[in-house]
Amino acid sequence: MEQIKDLVAEAVGKEMELFKREIASLRDETQKLKRENSELREMVKHLEAAVDETEQYSRYNDVSWHNPDIISPRLEQLAREGVILEQNYVLPLCTPSRSGLMTGRYPFHLGRQHNVLFGTQPTGLTLNHTLLPELLQEAGYSTHMVGKWHLGFCAPEYLPQARGFQSFLGYWQGAEDYYNHTEAIGDSVTLDFWDGEKSAPELSGVYSAELYGDRAESLIREHDQQSPMFLYLAMQNVHMPLQVPQRYEDMYPSVRNADRRTFSGMVTALDDAVGKVVDALKEVGMYNNTVIVFMGDNGGLPHAGGNNYPLRGTKGTLWEGGTRTPAFVHSPLLAASNYSNYRLVHITDWLPTLLRVAGAGGGLDGDGFDQWDSIASNAPSARSEMVYNIDDFGITFQAALRDGDLKLVWGQNQVNSHWYPVPESATPPPQLADPDDTLGYSAHLFNITADPTEREDLAARLPGEVTRLQARVKQLMKTEVPADFPPGDDAGHPVDGVWTTGWCEAH
C-alpha cells in the first residue's frame, strides 16, 4: 500500500507541476479565451469537422508517439502540434464503439453492448435516436462518410445514407479483403463495397487506404466552402486481414515477426492517407477552420499484429488494453496545443463536443459530456465516472466502471487478461485463448492513476470500495436496454455474390 501511495503521490506531483506552469498563463489568457469563444461561434459556419477513426487494431503501442519503431510522421506531427489524449476510452469492440460515437449514449442504453453485428443478423443500430451526422445536417453541414460502417444493413433504414450521410463510399460489415473488397464465406467470395447505394466491383484491385484517401481528398476539393462540412473517415487499416503494399512492409526490415511487420506497414499506409487529407485541407484553404479528431475504436490483438503493451488485455476485454486507445485533436482553433492531456474522455463525449464546436448545441441528453473546454484549454474533465461496458446477455456477465481514480472490473474477464509485449522473434505469438482461472468470476479493483497497467489488485484491501462500485453497477443495470443480438436469418445470405439490404424490418 505504501508503494501505491508513493505512486499516487508521484502522479499527482507531476500533474501539479503541469498546473503550476500553466496557471499563470491561463489567468492572463482568461479574457482572451472568452473573446476566442465568441469568435469561434462566428467562425463556426465555416468550420469543417473531420473525424479519422483508425480501424480495429491500431492501438496503444501502435503509433509513433507511443512507440518509435512505428513510422507515422504525419500522424505524429498532427498529434504533437495538437492535443494528445492519453485517457481516451472506447468500447472493447467496434460495433459498440461506433454506436456510442454516433449516438452519444452507452451501448448498454442502446441494446448494442454485446459483441459486433454479423452479416445475417436482422438488426442494426436502433432508429430510436438521432445520429451525429443527422444533427449536423440539421445545423447546415454537408455530411460524408468514407470507410467502414458496421452498424447494420439488413434494412435500407439502417444504411449510412438513411442515418444522416449525404454520400458514402465503403463497406457495411466488419472485415474484408483490402484489394478486392470481398469477404470469404465458406467456399464463396462475397462483395461488400458500395458507392452510395450501388455496389462498386469496378474498384477491385485498389488498396482500400488509397481509395479512401482519394475519396476524402476529392470531397474536400469539391466542397462548396459557403457551407460547413463533416467528414467521417473510418479507415479499414489496420483490421484483419493483414495486407499492405510491399513498399510499406519493406520499411520495417528489422521486424522479424511477419504479422507485426505487415501490421506496421499498414499503419504507415494509413499515415499516408491521412497526410493526403490534411494536404488537401491546406491547399483549398479549409485547414484553419478544421477540427481533426483521431482515435482508435478498440484495443489490439497481439496475434493479429497489434499491440497494447504495457497495458493489460486485448480487444474484446474490459482491461485497459481493450478500451484505452490512441487519440488526438488537432486544430488551429485550439486555445492550448502542443501538450498531452490526461483528462478522462469517453467515445460518447464526441457527439456533444462536436455539436458544441459546430455551433449546433444539444446532445447533452445522453451519456456523453461536452469536453471541448477540457481538450481545447486543459480544463478539468467534464466527467468523473465512466462505464466501460455492462453486458449480461445470456450467460455472460462482464462489467467495468471507472469512478475517479478507481476502476472496478467485475464478472467473466479471464480471457486475454495478460500483458503481451511486441514479439521479438519470427515465431508468432500464441493464440490468446488463455483464461486465467485464478481470476474467477469475481471483482477486481485498481487505482488507474497510480497503476494504469492493472497489476495491483486492491479488492482485498478496499472491500468497501468494491461493494460501493458494485452497487453503482447494479443501479446502472436498471436502465439497461436488453441486448439486441438475434440469431442469423437465412434471408440475409448474399445474392449472386453480393450482400444485400431489404430483407429485415428496421426497428
Side-chain angles (χ1 to χ4, degrees):
M1 181 62 78
E2 289 301 321
Q3 181 181 7
I4 294 170
K5 289 180 179 178
D6 291 342
L7 288 170
V8 173
E10 181 181 356
V12 172
K14 289 179 180 179
E15 286 286 332
M16 287 303 297
E17 286 300 316
L18 179 62
F19 285 141
K20 287 176 181 177
R21 289 195 301 269
E22 293 175 349
I23 193 67
S25 61
L26 288 176
R27 284 194 187 115
D28 293 340
E29 291 180 0
T30 299
Q31 294 304 317
K32 179 182 175 183
L33 288 175
K34 289 179 179 178
R35 291 194 299 271
E36 287 177 349
N37 284 337
S38 177
E39 291 168 3
L40 178 59
R41 287 192 292 271
E42 292 300 315
M43 293 167 65
V44 84
K45 60 184 178 183
H46 300 298
L47 176 67
E48 272 64 39
V51 176
D52 288 340
E53 183 173 343
T54 64
E55 244 320 285
Q56 301 277 57
Y57 305 119
S58 185
R59 297 309 173 249
Y60 188 85
N61 204 32
D62 294 333
V63 290
S64 56
W65 56 96
H66 288 159
N67 181 353
D69 293 334
I70 297 293
I71 303 169
S72 56
R74 299 302 300 270
L75 286 168
E76 181 162 356
Q77 181 181 9
L78 291 171
R80 296 203 181 280
E81 292 179 356
V83 178
I84 298 174
L85 303 177
E86 292 289 14
Q87 288 203 75
N88 173 74
Y89 286 91
V90 297
L91 277 296
L93 293 169
C94 49
T95 296
S97 280
R98 293 159 196 272
S99 300
L101 174 67
M102 288 291 149
T103 65
R105 287 170 167 80
Y106 289 131
F108 77 91
H109 284 153
L110 302 167
R112 292 267 62 87
Q113 65 271 47
H114 183 76
N115 216 322
V116 301
L117 283 172
F118 294 97
T120 60
Q121 285 185 296
T123 191
L125 180 58
T126 175
L127 303 182
N128 292 336
H129 299 289
T130 305
L131 304 193
L132 175 60
E134 295 175 285
L135 293 168
L136 287 171
Q137 198 174 99
E138 290 174 3
Y141 277 68
S142 63
T143 56
H144 305 278
M145 180 179 172
V146 179
K148 173 178 169 179
W149 178 235
H150 212 187
L151 290 174
F153 66 91
C154 62
E157 293 89 341
Y158 288 137
L159 298 179
Q161 305 93 299
R163 306 308 300 266
F165 289 108
Q166 294 166 298
S167 75
F168 170 67
L169 175 73
Y171 58 114
W172 292 342
Q173 294 210 73
E176 63 178 12
D177 188 277
Y178 278 74
Y179 291 96
N180 59 33
H181 317 301
T182 61
E183 179 186 6
I185 304 177
D187 296 329
S188 64
V189 176
T190 303
L191 181 68
D192 179 15
F193 205 68
W194 307 87
D195 192 347
E197 297 179 357
K198 295 181 180 180
S199 62
E202 69 276 7
L203 297 177
S204 178
V206 184
Y207 191 66
S208 69
E210 297 174 5
L211 278 176
Y212 296 153
D214 288 346
R215 172 57 65 91
E217 180 184 11
S218 296
L219 288 167
I220 291 166
R221 294 189 184 280
E222 297 169 5
H223 176 64
D224 179 0
Q225 295 187 40
Q226 296 303 309
S227 64
M229 175 186 182
F230 173 70
L231 171 61
Y232 174 44
L233 179 55
M235 297 292 290
Q236 183 177 2
N237 294 51
V238 282
H239 195 292
M240 291 186 295
L242 299 180
Q243 295 175 301
V244 75
Q246 189 63 42
R247 66 183 184 277
Y248 289 108
E249 191 166 332
D250 290 345
M251 298 172 72
Y252 295 89
S254 63
V255 178
R256 296 179 60 196
N257 181 270
D259 285 349
R260 183 63 179 173
R261 185 168 57 249
T262 303
F263 181 97
S264 299
M266 293 168 74
V267 177
T268 306
L270 165 68
D271 187 75
D272 279 355
V274 172
K276 186 181 298 184
V277 172
V278 176
D279 288 345
L281 288 168
K282 291 181 177 179
E283 289 170 15
V284 302
M286 292 166 61
Y287 170 78
N288 287 335
N289 287 337
T290 296
V291 175
I292 299 173
V293 179
F294 176 93
M295 76 183 89
D297 68 344
N298 52 246
L301 281 176
H303 73 267
N307 197 260
N308 312 306
Y309 197 79
L311 301 182
R312 183 178 188 173
T314 71
K315 174 191 177 182
T317 75
L318 296 176
W319 306 106
E320 295 293 285
T323 56
R324 191 174 188 171
T325 65
F328 65 76
V329 177
H330 179 97
S331 177
L333 300 174
L334 293 166
S337 58
N338 303 93
Y339 78 98
S340 292
N341 183 303
Y342 290 87
R343 312 304 191 194
L344 184 61
V345 177
H346 189 257
I347 195 167
T348 57
D349 297 335
W350 291 110
L351 183 142
T353 301
L354 291 176
L355 288 178
R356 188 267 186 87
V357 174
L364 296 173
D365 57 341
D367 299 306
F369 291 82
D370 173 8
Q371 298 278 22
W372 182 248
D373 291 337
S374 176
I375 294 166
S377 55
N378 204 19
S381 175
R383 66 160 69 240
S384 59
E385 180 186 86
M386 182 191 75
V387 179
Y388 288 77
N389 197 27
I390 299 173
D391 181 5
D392 62 348
F393 179 76
I395 62 172
T396 301
F397 177 71
Q398 293 178 313
L401 176 70
R402 171 87 175 262
D403 181 32
D405 295 330
L406 295 179
K407 176 183 178 180
L408 173 75
V409 182
W410 188 17
Q412 297 156 305
N413 295 289
Q414 301 97 320
V415 176
N416 296 358
S417 59
H418 294 285
W419 298 263
Y420 306 93
V422 176
E424 296 181 355
S425 71
T427 304
Q431 294 293 308
L432 301 180
D434 57 347
D436 185 344
D437 293 331
T438 65
L439 293 177
Y441 188 93
S442 57
H444 311 277
L445 185 70
F446 304 92
N447 184 316
I448 290 300
T449 302
D451 178 28
T453 59
E454 298 172 294
R455 291 181 179 271
E456 297 289 337
D457 189 348
L458 305 176
R461 305 180 203 177
L462 300 173
E465 293 290 0
V466 172
T467 300
R468 178 180 70 84
L469 294 176
Q470 286 178 320
R472 175 58 177 155
V473 170
K474 292 175 182 178
Q475 181 184 34
L476 289 164
M477 289 178 70
K478 295 177 181 179
T479 68
E480 181 182 18
V481 174
D484 177 19
F485 197 75
D489 187 332
D490 288 342
H493 287 295
V495 176
D496 297 327
V498 181
W499 287 102
T500 63
T501 188
W503 49 268
C504 83
E505 293 291 330
H507 55 276

Coordinates of all heavy atoms in Angstrom, one line a residue, residues 415-460:
V415 N -10.4 -14.3 -20.0 CA -9.8 -14.5 -21.3 C -9.0 -13.3 -21.8 O -9.4 -12.1 -21.6 CB -10.8 -14.9 -22.4 CG1 -10.2 -15.0 -23.8 CG2 -11.5 -16.2 -22.0
N416 N -7.8 -13.5 -22.3 CA -6.9 -12.4 -22.8 C -6.7 -11.4 -21.8 O -6.7 -10.2 -22.0 CB -7.6 -11.8 -24.1 CG -7.7 -12.7 -25.2 OD1 -7.3 -13.9 -25.2 ND2 -8.3 -12.2 -26.3
S417 N -6.3 -11.8 -20.6 CA -6.2 -10.9 -19.4 C -4.8 -10.6 -19.0 O -4.5 -10.1 -18.0 CB -7.0 -11.6 -18.2 OG -6.4 -12.8 -17.9
H418 N -3.8 -11.0 -19.9 CA -2.4 -10.8 -19.6 C -1.8 -9.6 -20.2 O -2.5 -8.7 -20.7 CB -1.6 -12.1 -20.0 CG -2.0 -13.3 -19.2 ND1 -1.7 -13.5 -17.9 CD2 -2.8 -14.4 -19.6 CE1 -2.2 -14.7 -17.5 NE2 -2.9 -15.2 -18.5
W419 N -0.5 -9.5 -20.1 CA 0.3 -8.4 -20.8 C 1.1 -9.0 -21.9 O 1.8 -10.0 -21.7 CB 1.2 -7.7 -19.7 CG 0.4 -7.1 -18.6 CD1 0.1 -5.8 -18.4 CD2 0.0 -7.8 -17.4 NE1 -0.6 -5.6 -17.2 CE2 -0.7 -6.8 -16.6 CE3 0.0 -9.1 -16.9 CZ2 -1.2 -7.1 -15.4 CZ3 -0.6 -9.4 -15.7 CH2 -1.2 -8.4 -14.9
Y420 N 1.0 -8.4 -23.1 CA 1.6 -9.0 -24.3 C 2.6 -8.1 -24.9 O 2.2 -7.2 -25.7 CB 0.5 -9.4 -25.3 CG -0.6 -10.3 -24.6 CD1 -1.7 -9.7 -24.1 CD2 -0.5 -11.6 -24.6 CE1 -2.7 -10.5 -23.5 CE2 -1.4 -12.4 -24.0 CZ -2.6 -11.8 -23.4 OH -3.5 -12.6 -22.9
P421 N 3.9 -8.2 -24.7 CA 4.9 -7.4 -25.3 C 4.9 -7.6 -26.8 O 4.4 -8.6 -27.4 CB 6.2 -7.8 -24.7 CG 5.8 -8.6 -23.4 CD 4.5 -9.2 -23.7
V422 N 5.5 -6.7 -27.6 CA 5.7 -6.9 -29.0 C 6.6 -8.1 -29.2 O 7.6 -8.2 -28.6 CB 6.4 -5.6 -29.6 CG1 6.7 -5.8 -31.1 CG2 5.5 -4.4 -29.4
P423 N 6.2 -9.0 -30.1 CA 7.0 -10.2 -30.4 C 8.4 -9.8 -31.0 O 8.4 -9.0 -31.9 CB 6.2 -11.0 -31.3 CG 5.2 -10.0 -32.0 CD 5.0 -9.0 -30.9
E424 N 9.4 -10.4 -30.4 CA 10.8 -10.0 -30.9 C 11.4 -11.1 -31.8 O 12.4 -10.9 -32.4 CB 11.7 -9.8 -29.7 CG 11.3 -8.7 -28.8 CD 12.2 -8.5 -27.6 OE1 13.1 -9.3 -27.4 OE2 12.0 -7.5 -26.9
S425 N 10.7 -12.2 -32.0 CA 11.2 -13.3 -32.9 C 10.3 -13.5 -34.0 O 9.2 -12.9 -34.1 CB 11.3 -14.6 -32.1 OG 10.0 -15.1 -31.8
A426 N 10.7 -14.3 -35.0 CA 9.9 -14.6 -36.1 C 8.7 -15.6 -35.7 O 7.8 -15.7 -36.5 CB 10.7 -15.3 -37.2
T427 N 8.8 -16.2 -34.6 CA 7.7 -17.1 -34.1 C 6.5 -16.3 -33.8 O 6.6 -15.3 -33.0 CB 8.2 -17.9 -32.9 OG1 9.4 -18.6 -33.2 CG2 7.1 -18.8 -32.5
P428 N 5.3 -16.6 -34.3 CA 4.1 -15.8 -34.0 C 3.8 -16.0 -32.5 O 4.1 -17.0 -31.9 CB 3.0 -16.5 -34.9 CG 3.8 -17.2 -35.9 CD 5.1 -17.6 -35.3
P429 N 3.2 -15.0 -31.9 CA 2.8 -15.1 -30.5 C 1.7 -16.1 -30.4 O 1.0 -16.4 -31.4 CB 2.3 -13.7 -30.2 CG 1.9 -13.1 -31.5 CD 2.9 -13.6 -32.5
P430 N 1.5 -16.7 -29.3 CA 0.4 -17.8 -29.1 C -0.9 -17.2 -29.3 O -1.2 -16.0 -29.1 CB 0.7 -18.3 -27.7 CG 1.3 -17.1 -27.0 CD 2.2 -16.5 -28.0
Q431 N -1.9 -18.0 -29.7 CA -3.3 -17.6 -29.7 C -3.6 -17.2 -28.2 O -3.1 -17.8 -27.3 CB -4.2 -18.7 -30.2 CG -3.9 -19.0 -31.7 CD -4.4 -17.9 -32.6 OE1 -5.5 -17.4 -32.5 NE2 -3.5 -17.5 -33.5
L432 N -4.6 -16.3 -28.1 CA -4.8 -15.7 -26.8 C -5.9 -16.3 -26.0 O -6.4 -15.7 -25.1 CB -4.9 -14.2 -27.0 CG -3.7 -13.5 -27.6 CD1 -4.0 -12.0 -27.7 CD2 -2.5 -13.8 -26.9
A433 N -6.4 -17.4 -26.4 CA -7.5 -18.1 -25.6 C -6.8 -18.7 -24.3 O -6.7 -19.9 -24.2 CB -8.2 -19.1 -26.4
D434 N -6.4 -17.8 -23.4 CA -5.6 -18.2 -22.3 C -6.3 -17.8 -21.0 O -5.7 -16.9 -20.3 CB -4.2 -17.6 -22.4 CG -4.2 -16.1 -22.5 OD1 -5.3 -15.5 -22.7 OD2 -3.1 -15.5 -22.3
P435 N -7.4 -18.3 -20.7 CA -8.1 -17.9 -19.5 C -7.3 -18.0 -18.2 O -6.7 -19.1 -18.0 CB -9.4 -18.7 -19.4 CG -9.1 -19.9 -20.3 CD -8.1 -19.4 -21.4
D436 N -7.3 -17.0 -17.4 CA -6.6 -17.1 -16.2 C -7.6 -17.5 -15.1 O -8.4 -16.7 -14.6 CB -6.0 -15.7 -15.8 CG -5.1 -15.7 -14.6 OD1 -5.2 -16.7 -13.8 OD2 -4.4 -14.7 -14.4
D437 N -7.6 -18.8 -14.8 CA -8.6 -19.3 -13.8 C -8.4 -18.7 -12.4 O -9.4 -18.8 -11.6 CB -8.5 -20.8 -13.8 CG -8.9 -21.5 -15.1 OD1 -9.7 -20.9 -15.8 OD2 -8.3 -22.5 -15.4
T438 N -7.3 -18.1 -12.1 CA -7.2 -17.5 -10.8 C -8.0 -16.3 -10.7 O -8.3 -15.9 -9.5 CB -5.7 -17.1 -10.5 OG1 -5.3 -16.1 -11.5 CG2 -4.8 -18.3 -10.7
L439 N -8.5 -15.7 -11.8 CA -9.3 -14.5 -11.7 C -10.7 -14.9 -11.2 O -11.3 -14.2 -10.5 CB -9.4 -13.8 -13.1 CG -8.1 -13.2 -13.5 CD1 -8.2 -12.6 -14.9 CD2 -7.6 -12.1 -12.6
G440 N -11.2 -16.0 -11.8 CA -12.5 -16.4 -11.4 C -13.6 -15.4 -11.8 O -13.4 -14.4 -12.5
Y441 N -14.8 -15.8 -11.3 CA -16.0 -14.9 -11.5 C -16.0 -13.9 -10.3 O -16.7 -14.2 -9.3 CB -17.3 -15.7 -11.6 CG -18.5 -15.0 -12.0 CD1 -18.9 -14.9 -13.3 CD2 -19.3 -14.3 -11.1 CE1 -20.0 -14.3 -13.7 CE2 -20.4 -13.7 -11.4 CZ -20.8 -13.6 -12.8 OH -21.9 -13.0 -13.2
S442 N -15.2 -12.9 -10.4 CA -15.0 -12.1 -9.2 C -14.9 -10.6 -9.6 O -15.0 -10.2 -10.7 CB -13.8 -12.6 -8.4 OG -12.7 -12.6 -9.3
A443 N -14.6 -9.8 -8.6 CA -14.4 -8.4 -8.7 C -13.0 -8.0 -8.5 O -12.3 -8.6 -7.6 CB -15.4 -7.6 -7.8
H444 N -12.5 -7.1 -9.2 CA -11.1 -6.6 -9.1 C -11.1 -5.1 -9.1 O -11.9 -4.4 -9.8 CB -10.2 -7.1 -10.3 CG -10.4 -8.6 -10.5 ND1 -9.7 -9.5 -9.8 CD2 -11.2 -9.3 -11.3 CE1 -10.1 -10.7 -10.2 NE2 -11.0 -10.6 -11.1
L445 N -10.2 -4.5 -8.3 CA -10.2 -3.1 -8.1 C -8.8 -2.5 -8.3 O -7.8 -3.1 -7.8 CB -10.7 -2.7 -6.7 CG -10.8 -1.2 -6.3 CD1 -12.0 -0.6 -7.1 CD2 -10.9 -1.1 -4.8
F446 N -8.7 -1.4 -9.1 CA -7.4 -0.9 -9.4 C -7.5 0.7 -9.3 O -8.5 1.3 -9.5 CB -7.0 -1.2 -10.8 CG -7.0 -2.7 -11.1 CD1 -8.1 -3.3 -11.7 CD2 -5.8 -3.4 -10.8 CE1 -8.0 -4.7 -11.9 CE2 -5.8 -4.8 -11.1 CZ -6.9 -5.4 -11.6
N447 N -6.3 1.2 -8.9 CA -6.2 2.7 -8.9 C -5.5 3.0 -10.2 O -4.3 2.8 -10.4 CB -5.3 3.2 -7.8 CG -5.2 4.7 -7.7 OD1 -5.0 5.3 -8.8 ND2 -5.4 5.3 -6.6
I448 N -6.3 3.4 -11.2 CA -5.8 3.5 -12.6 C -4.8 4.7 -12.7 O -3.9 4.7 -13.6 CB -7.0 3.7 -13.6 CG1 -7.7 2.4 -13.7 CG2 -6.5 4.1 -14.9 CD1 -6.9 1.2 -14.2
T449 N -5.0 5.7 -11.9 CA -4.0 6.8 -11.9 C -2.6 6.3 -11.5 O -1.6 6.6 -12.2 CB -4.4 7.9 -11.0 OG1 -5.7 8.4 -11.4 CG2 -3.5 9.1 -11.0
A450 N -2.5 5.6 -10.5 CA -1.2 5.1 -10.0 C -0.8 3.8 -10.7 O 0.4 3.5 -10.8 CB -1.3 4.8 -8.5
D451 N -1.7 3.0 -11.2 CA -1.5 1.7 -11.7 C -2.2 1.5 -13.1 O -3.1 0.7 -13.1 CB -1.9 0.7 -10.7 CG -1.7 -0.8 -11.2 OD1 -0.8 -1.0 -12.0 OD2 -2.4 -1.6 -10.7
P452 N -1.8 2.3 -14.1 CA -2.6 2.1 -15.4 C -2.4 0.8 -16.0 O -3.2 0.5 -16.9 CB -2.0 3.3 -16.2 CG -0.6 3.5 -15.6 CD -0.8 3.3 -14.2
T453 N -1.4 0.0 -15.6 CA -1.3 -1.3 -16.3 C -2.0 -2.4 -15.5 O -1.9 -3.6 -15.8 CB 0.2 -1.7 -16.4 OG1 0.8 -1.7 -15.1 CG2 0.9 -0.7 -17.3
E454 N -2.7 -2.1 -14.4 CA -3.6 -3.0 -13.7 C -2.8 -4.2 -13.2 O -3.2 -5.4 -13.4 CB -4.8 -3.4 -14.6 CG -5.6 -2.3 -15.0 CD -6.7 -2.7 -16.1 OE1 -6.3 -3.0 -17.2 OE2 -7.9 -2.6 -15.8
R455 N -1.8 -4.0 -12.4 CA -1.0 -5.1 -11.8 C -1.3 -5.2 -10.3 O -1.0 -6.3 -9.8 CB 0.5 -4.9 -12.1 CG 0.8 -5.0 -13.6 CD 2.3 -4.9 -13.8 NE 2.7 -5.0 -15.2 CZ 3.0 -6.2 -15.8 NH1 3.0 -7.3 -15.1 NH2 3.3 -6.2 -17.1
E456 N -1.8 -4.2 -9.7 CA -2.0 -4.3 -8.2 C -3.5 -4.3 -7.9 O -4.2 -3.2 -7.9 CB -1.4 -3.1 -7.6 CG 0.2 -3.0 -7.7 CD 0.8 -4.1 -6.9 OE1 0.2 -4.5 -5.9 OE2 2.0 -4.4 -7.2
D457 N -4.1 -5.5 -7.7 CA -5.5 -5.6 -7.4 C -5.7 -5.2 -5.9 O -5.2 -5.8 -5.0 CB -5.9 -7.0 -7.6 CG -7.4 -7.2 -7.5 OD1 -8.1 -6.3 -7.1 OD2 -7.9 -8.3 -8.0
L458 N -6.5 -4.2 -5.7 CA -6.8 -3.6 -4.4 C -8.1 -4.1 -3.8 O -8.5 -3.7 -2.7 CB -6.9 -2.1 -4.5 CG -5.7 -1.4 -5.1 CD1 -6.0 0.1 -5.2 CD2 -4.4 -1.6 -4.3
A459 N -8.7 -5.1 -4.4 CA -10.1 -5.5 -4.0 C -10.0 -6.0 -2.6 O -10.9 -5.7 -1.8 CB -10.6 -6.6 -4.9
A460 N -9.0 -6.8 -2.2 CA -9.0 -7.4 -0.9 C -8.7 -6.3 0.2 O -9.1 -6.5 1.4 CB -7.9 -8.5 -0.8

